[in-house]
Amino acid sequence: MKIVETVSEVRQCVKQWRKEGLTVGLVPTMGYLHEGHKSLIDRAVSENDRVVVSVFVNPTQFGPNEDFESYPRDMDKDSALCEDAGASLIFHPQPEKMYLDGYSTFVDMDTITKGLCGKTRPTHFRGVCTVVSKLFNIVAPDRAYFGQKDAQQLAVIKHMVRDLNFDIDIVGCPIIREEDGLAKSSRNTYLNEAERKAATVLSRALSEGKKFMADGEKKSSDVKKIICDIISSEPLAKIDYVEIVDWNNLEPVEDTEGQVLCAIAVYIGKTRLIDNFVTL
Ligand code: AMP
């Protein structure tokens, strides 16, 4: 496995693979890799001849008061995990090489980026769409892999690929969780012991909501209330949002028939965590 920092080195590798008739998968990440990322890399390795993992803490998707500087980084651990999983190449660019002096082109989206996480993080998806477009242009993969953990991001990327005619298959992969249900996340490392315990409230609340729906509850507002009540019973938790939306267009729905996304964002202390499930 190779680790490269420049766009031209990535292009050189991919060009060689293409000459050999090989297929290429891409797994975009911000690093500090865990089992959730590994599940994406495993899937990519099983479906492509070569896999590129990008490790890039992308400054444009962080708001001014967010955790860009303190976001955890560990390239040694990341490269070991990628190598073990069978990746062929890590692309690890420096921010100033991705965003050259005078950088001024952004990919933005009008509709599905505005609700859910877009309310609290109004510039987040503009940064995500921009960096993912750049990675798509740099690697030009056959397939790219994204986690259902970031459900809105997955929907946004699918929408962008459709709108901008990227010739790339987007593959969504299931959420990988800790044994106690907490969705794995690089940001879980911010939690102290008490917060880590409290953080299980996200998956517990979602499980109850899901059960309630499976038992026949159709009103979104009633399902949301069950979820909110459970989260509010945890003193260290503060709700950012609890929403039930149509999985196809992310529009809020009054009833839970059809394929819906139930998504939540919750502050545990200062750490903002997200989780979700999709029905059907
Ligand atoms: P990140 O490094 O947080 O930007 O995540 C990179 C990719 O890994 C995204 O597509 C995430 O949705 C995915 N991912 C992160 N955590 C998980 C998880 N617990 N299960 C599945 N995929 C995940």
Side-chain angles (χ1 to χ4, degrees):
M1 190 191 69
K2 261 176 132 170
I3 304 175
V4 301
E5 291 202 355
T6 65
V7 172
S8 61
E9 285 168 296
V10 177
R11 290 215 163 115
Q12 227 174 339
C13 279
V14 175
K15 200 169 164 190
Q16 181 57 38
W17 297 336
R18 292 301 189 191
K19 246 192 222 163
E20 297 167 28
L22 303 175
T23 57
V24 179
L26 169 67
V27 182
T29 82
M30 296 206 299
Y32 214 71
L33 305 178
H34 49 66
E35 291 292 318
H37 299 107
K38 185 171 178 296
S39 73
L40 271 55
I41 302 170
D42 287 343
R43 175 91 181 260
V45 166
S46 76
E47 294 179 350
N48 301 274
D49 298 315
R50 296 289 181 268
V51 169
V52 180
V53 179
S54 59
V55 174
F56 180 56
V57 185
N58 172 37
T60 63
Q61 70 189 69
F62 289 79
N65 297 315
E66 293 183 354
D67 55 344
F68 172 68
E69 296 294 343
S70 58
Y71 196 85
R73 292 157 168 94
D74 187 343
M75 248 336 257
D76 290 342
K77 205 167 138 246
D78 289 351
S79 46
L81 185 145
C82 289
E83 178 126 50
D84 273 1
S88 307
L89 182 71
I90 295 182
F91 178 41
H92 178 51
Q94 294 306 313
E96 56 278 13
K97 291 281 157 53
M98 280 296 264
Y99 298 104
L100 299 176
D101 250 1
Y103 189 90
S104 57
T105 306
F106 293 89
V107 180
D108 210 348
M109 194 180 291
D110 282 341
T111 51
I112 63 174
T113 57
K114 302 300 173 209
L116 304 174
C117 289
K119 277 201 179 138
T120 312
R121 310 186 72 192
T123 58
H124 174 65
F125 289 109
R126 178 185 192 249
V128 168
C129 287
T130 300
V131 80
V132 171
S133 298
K134 286 169 70 66
L135 292 168
F136 284 178
N137 282 329
I138 293 163
V139 179
D142 299 285
R143 300 174 195 84
Y145 296 79
F146 292 87
Q148 179 68 37
K149 155 88 183 352
D150 299 86
Q152 186 177 16
Q153 169 173 279
L154 174 59
V156 164
I157 297 297
K158 283 183 176 165
H159 202 87
M160 180 185 83
V161 161
R162 193 203 66 167
D163 284 358
L164 296 183
N165 308 96
F166 281 107
D167 189 14
I168 297 168
D169 284 340
I170 302 303
V171 183
C173 303
I175 303 176
I176 304 298
R177 298 178 178 280
E178 303 287 355
E179 267 180 26
D180 62 8
L182 176 65
K184 293 204 181 225
S185 165
S186 311
R187 288 193 169 98
N188 291 349
T189 52
Y190 296 152
L191 304 169
N192 65 29
E193 205 180 323
E195 290 169 342
R196 173 63 188 79
K197 270 192 198 141
T200 58
V201 78
L202 279 86
S203 57
R204 277 191 284 119
L206 285 175
S207 295
E208 285 306 309
K210 202 173 179 178
K211 225 185 281 166
F212 200 47
M213 279 162 66
D215 289 346
E217 181 54 58
K218 298 255 184 298
K219 260 177 89 178
S220 298
S221 53
D222 289 349
V223 179
K224 285 199 280 187
K225 183 167 185 319
I226 291 276
I227 294 172
C228 287
D229 286 350
I230 294 173
I231 299 171
S232 304
S233 71
E234 169 50 63
L236 294 178
K238 193 173 139 263
I239 294 173
D240 180 16
Y241 68 76
V242 171
E243 293 287 354
I244 298 182
V245 299
D246 186 321
W247 177 227
N248 290 310
N249 57 20
L250 304 193
E251 290 289 329
V253 289
E254 275 181 21
D255 68 64
T256 62
E257 274 166 310
Q259 194 171 33
V260 298
L261 163 69
C262 177
I264 64 177
V266 177
Y267 290 95
I268 301 290
K270 288 201 169 96
T271 305
R272 184 174 173 281
L273 300 177
I274 56 172
D275 201 348
N276 70 85
F277 67 85
V278 175
T279 61
L280 299 182

